[in-house]
Amino acid sequence: MLCVLLSLYLRNTAWKWESKLWSILSMFYKRIEENSTRPSEDLGSQFTEIFIKQPENVTLLLSLLEEFDFHVRWPGVRLLTSLLKQLGPPVQQIVLVSPMGVSRLMDLLADSREIIRNDGVLLLQALTRSNGAIQKIVAFENAFERLLDIITEEGNSDGGIVVEDCLILLQNLLKNNNSNQNFFKEGSYIQRMKPWFEVGDENSGWSAQKVTNLHLMLQLVRVLVSPTNPPGATSSCQKAMFQCGLLQQLCTILMATGIPADILTETINTVSEVIRGCQVNQDYFASVNAPSNPPRPAIVVLLMSMVNERQPFVLRCAVLYCFQCFLYKNQKGQGEIVATLLPSTIDATGNSVSAGQLLCGGLFSTDSLSNWCAAVALAHALQGNATQKEQLLRVQLATSIGNPPVSLLQQCTNILSQGSKIQTRVGLLMLLCTWLSNCPIAVTHFLHNSANVPFLTGQIAENLGEEEQLVQGLCALLLGISIYFNDNSLENYMKEKLKQLIEKRIGKENFIEKLGFISKHELYSRASQKPQPNFPSPEYMIFDHEFTKLVKELEGVITKAIYKSSEEDKKEEEVKKTLEQHDNIVTHYKNMIREQDLQLEELKQQVSTLRCQNEQLQTAVTQQASQIQQHKDQYNLLKVQLGKDYHHQGSHSDGAQVNGIQPEEISRLREEIEELKSHQGLLQSQLAEKDSLIENLKSSQVSALNEQASAAASPRDSEQVIELKQELSTLKSQLNSQSLEITRLQAENHELLQRAEALAKSVPVQGESENVIAAKTTDVEGRLSALLQETKELKNEIKALSEEKTAVKKQLDSSNSTIAILQTEKDKLDAEVTDSKKEQDDLLVLLADQDQKILSLKSKLKDLGHPVEEEDESGDQEDDDDEMDDGDKDQDI
């Protein structure tokens, strides 16, 4: 009834009744959540099934999510999330076919209200679970960008539950989705993951939420580089992680202190898959050192944890997986590990522990788990590498004092025959099977010990319990490898004799049955699924993933080899020899083709080099030709400037050369050369004199300019004159005002005198009046005298200023006349400099002509076979050649 009510209300509701809609949506959501907790009744699933019977209900609910009102949007998000939890696939299908259904849900991540945004993340988690189509749509709706922004805003690994929800959603989008993984890599989102792992070397601050967040972040990295992904996608992600520094950051966490155990284990697993099969990453991991004194390689530190029985089981499994991934398709790394076991590389001082020593120590320790891990790790150092299998035969071990050393191969078989734990024997048998496969030399060394074959046949022939059946199967596999890869170099243990031994002591059917125990074991199929050794407890640690591949490869061929007759073996040997010969021929021709390709490349490089040199030489020839043409033009110009006299002399000399020159002529020419040399020296001395004259003129010109600069100070004098004039006018105005004051006082004095005389005539003057008048008169006379004195002083100052003004005017006139004289002298000096330059140019031209003449005469003397002293002469050899050619032409004429 509630579902029907909600459906009707969703179809007919008016948007002004948001509060009623809120109530109904909330009530329906609560009813589904309450009933989902009662699995016996399963009412939540029933309500959901009734609600989605009509897909329009879900479509209307999606349209409600576009409403921004909180009381509509938030309960709608929660209701849709609950529907997806109850019946995910049907609801996902309805959302997928709804127009813009996923896009509407993506808008929730951009909501400014955190509660809606966070519930939107939970909704998208339920929506994208196990649905590749919706995962692709969500990814292309810019989900990666928005989720990474939220993680950054919340504080990366230090964030809260929101970061955890975003990481789970990212895993849903990327796990087993190659398209989204490629989009994530191409969008440069891997680079944004590096700050997640900047946790530092901390001993505190690891909250439970931080551990959870970092664990999910590491799992997200593993999703991108999982061995189950396509090889190309995994390789590109591995390279991107190395280039952006993510691998380096993970190695920093790996070698840091204070890291929680589960985070350290997951980090080791993550680093393992980041370097697996990637040569660049493997080389970098080999160079990582632990922060110890002295520094130790990270591989050695990890192996120490693997062979230490006190370490947690999951950590030891993670280290083994890391070592396997380091050696996967890494022949260089395999060689480095095996080299640490060889006598020439072992440290005699014992100051440092190598990886090989740790593996040997684990191989022969009392802990069966260490035996198994060391055997599997050493087997991976030999996987698919025949060279290292042969090198490992050189390893010698000192078992006890006084006894001679034994080989590693012999020691493994000795421990195997001592009847140790099943886990130890299984590990050693897997190591021996890997070692002997595809290596006839190792098979020969194994068969050379006469006790090995009887031990194997005895183990296979016995009727043991179920626990020993796996060991019997592995012994059968090892004996079958000894037959299949036997090169018949040992007469007592040839293929045919070994097969006869099996038929007599074991029986072919029984042998094949025991061989089949391996693939029928319950733990075999589990180990063959994933490369990572993931076991619930040490007891389940029996098979290695790479070994299961070897069993699958060899089981069939060994079965065929056991049933073959001697004639078939001979035919097969002949076929093998023919194939080997054919392969040798093909290899020979391949090598020839490779050498020819190398020679062809070298010849191509030589051709390209010669072409470049040819182009350079052609360019140089072109430049030289242009220079020769320029010299010719200059020579012709100089030849025209020399005049006819030089031409006649040249023609006469050429004629003499044609008709033969006598010794007198030669001496005369030498004298002429000496005269020309002396003339040249004279011209050079004149040129030096002219140069010195020019320098003197330049220095005098500089001094004149300095004097002119000093004379340029006269404008400052004129400014002083103007200031003096202003002061003079000021003094004149003061003098006029004082003159007016004097005139006024004189008039007042005269008026007082007249009044005094009038009073004296009209009234008898008393003593006091006379005293007053006398005082006033004295005062006026004093003021008058002071004014007169001041006027006199002002007149003296005016006179002094007038004299100073006259002197300044005289100085100004003198300066102007000096400037005019200096300007005239400067013009004269410029004219002299110009004339000197012209004379210098003429002298240079004359010197050039003399040099040409001297060189011409010298060349003529050389042609006649007379020795000529070599001197450093200026000039171009090509010009001389041109002059000689022109002289020859003139002579012919």
Side-chain angles (χ1 to χ4, degrees), residues 127-169:
L127 182 66
T128 57
R129 190 173 291 116
S130 303
N131 193 309
I134 294 179
Q135 290 170 1
K136 292 180 182 179
I137 297 173
V138 171
F140 283 94
E141 287 284 346
N142 206 21
F144 294 139
E145 184 76 26
R146 296 183 184 181
L147 292 173
L148 293 174
D149 289 340
I150 294 173
I151 292 173
T152 304
E153 292 172 3
E154 295 292 328
N156 294 329
S157 60
D158 294 323
I161 190 68
V162 179
V163 174
E164 179 182 348
D165 294 336
C166 291
L167 292 171
I168 294 173
L169 178 55

Side-chain angles (χ1 to χ4, degrees), residues 249-530:
Q249 197 65 43
L250 292 174
C251 290
T252 302
I253 298 176
L254 192 66
M255 294 291 105
T257 58
I259 306 296
D262 53 346
I263 293 298
L264 181 60
T265 303
E266 190 63 24
T267 303
I268 295 173
N269 290 327
T270 305
V271 172
S272 305
E273 294 183 352
V274 173
I275 68 174
R276 187 177 189 269
C278 182
Q279 188 65 51
V280 177
N281 295 2
Q282 289 169 339
D283 292 342
Y284 171 77
F285 183 71
S287 65
V288 175
N289 289 324
S292 59
N293 191 14
R296 290 178 176 175
I299 299 173
V300 173
V301 176
L302 292 175
L303 288 177
M304 292 172 69
S305 300
M306 185 186 74
V307 297
N308 187 357
E309 54 184 321
R310 298 178 182 176
Q311 294 292 337
F313 173 68
V314 290
L315 179 63
R316 299 174 74 180
C317 291
V319 173
L320 176 61
Y321 184 46
C322 184
F323 191 75
Q324 292 174 351
C325 292
F326 170 68
L327 298 178
Y328 183 71
K329 295 183 179 179
N330 184 10
Q331 293 192 354
K332 178 182 176 183
Q334 290 175 330
E336 292 173 353
I337 297 298
V338 173
T340 59
L341 286 165
L342 300 178
S344 59
T345 58
I346 294 177
D347 187 5
T349 61
N351 293 329
S352 60
V353 181
S354 65
Q357 292 173 344
L358 289 171
L359 290 176
C360 282
L363 193 63
F364 306 123
S365 70
T366 56
D367 180 27
S368 61
L369 183 59
S370 298
N371 301 150
W372 190 91
C373 291
V376 171
L378 198 55
H380 277 263
L382 306 175
Q383 192 76 38
N385 196 329
T387 303
Q388 301 310 322
K389 292 178 181 179
E390 296 176 5
Q391 288 292 323
L392 200 63
L393 295 172
R394 298 169 48 200
V395 177
Q396 299 290 321
L397 301 176
T399 55
S400 60
I401 300 175
N403 294 329
V406 297
S407 66
L408 177 61
L409 182 64
Q410 183 60 43
Q411 185 66 15
C412 290
T413 56
N414 292 340
I415 296 174
L416 194 62
S417 62
Q418 292 174 2
S420 54
K421 294 181 180 179
I422 292 180
Q423 194 173 38
T424 301
R425 284 182 288 166
V426 168
L428 290 173
L429 286 169
M430 287 195 297
L431 172 61
L432 291 173
C433 290
T434 305
W435 194 347
L436 270 60
S437 63
N438 295 293
C439 186
I441 298 176
V443 172
T444 302
H445 279 73
F446 178 76
L447 296 176
H448 192 269
N449 187 355
S450 58
N452 290 337
V453 174
F455 168 74
L456 293 178
T457 54
Q459 287 286 319
I460 300 169
E462 290 183 5
N463 292 321
L464 302 175
E466 294 182 359
E467 294 181 354
E468 295 292 333
Q469 288 181 352
L470 178 59
V471 176
Q472 288 181 319
L474 292 172
C475 290
L477 178 65
L478 182 58
L479 186 57
I481 291 172
S482 301
I483 295 172
Y484 185 73
F485 294 102
N486 193 341
D487 58 357
N488 295 324
S489 59
L490 295 176
E491 185 178 357
N492 295 331
Y493 296 103
M494 298 177 68
K495 286 185 178 181
E496 188 62 29
K497 290 185 178 180
L498 289 175
K499 287 193 288 185
Q500 292 175 2
L501 181 64
I502 291 174
E503 188 174 3
K504 289 180 181 178
R505 297 194 58 184
I506 304 171
K508 292 183 179 180
E509 291 78 6
N510 190 22
F511 179 85
I512 299 302
E513 182 183 0
K514 297 293 178 69
L515 182 63
F517 285 161
I518 301 174
S519 57
K520 294 178 181 179
H521 199 277
E522 58 179 353
L523 297 178
Y524 175 86
S525 60
R526 182 171 182 175
S528 63
Q529 293 175 1
K530 292 182 179 180

Side-chain angles (χ1 to χ4, degrees), residues 27 42 83 123 136 172 198 332 349 438 557 642 736 887:
M27 182 171 56
D42 198 15
L83 295 175
L123 171 60
K136 292 180 182 179
N172 289 349
E198 294 175 356
K332 178 182 176 183
T349 61
N438 295 293
V557 295
L642 285 175
N736 292 331

